[in-house]
């Protein structure tokens, strides 16, 4: 493999993996649109059941 091909190979790999890392970081840090308007779900307390077994 020539030097130019090796350089282009490395640049392409860094570009792809860098985009993947950037996507994951931004997905973890940025809020999801519409989360502010949603009402949080109520949790179910297993001690507060109405059925007797």
């Amino acid at each position: 493999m020539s030097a130019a091909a090796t350089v282009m190979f490395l640049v392409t790999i860094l570009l792809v993996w860098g985009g993947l890392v950037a996507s994951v970081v931004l997905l973890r840090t940025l809020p999801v649109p519409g989360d502010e308007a949603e009402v949080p779900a109520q949790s179910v307390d297993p001690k507060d059941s109405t059925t007797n077994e």
Side-chain angles (χ1 to χ4, degrees), residues 13 18 27 30:
I13 288 176
L27 282 172
L30 293 177

Side-chain angles (χ1 to χ4, degrees), residues 25-47:
V25 168
L26 287 176
L27 282 172
R28 292 182 58 90
T29 58
L30 293 177
V32 176
D35 271 353
E36 298 83 23
E38 293 181 13
V39 177
Q42 295 178 352
S43 63
V44 176
D45 188 10
K47 296 177 184 176

Side-chain angles (χ1 to χ4, degrees), residues 5-22:
T6 304
V7 169
M8 288 304 296
F9 179 70
L10 291 175
V11 167
T12 304
I13 288 176
L14 290 175
L15 182 69
V16 170
W17 283 101
L20 177 66
V21 170

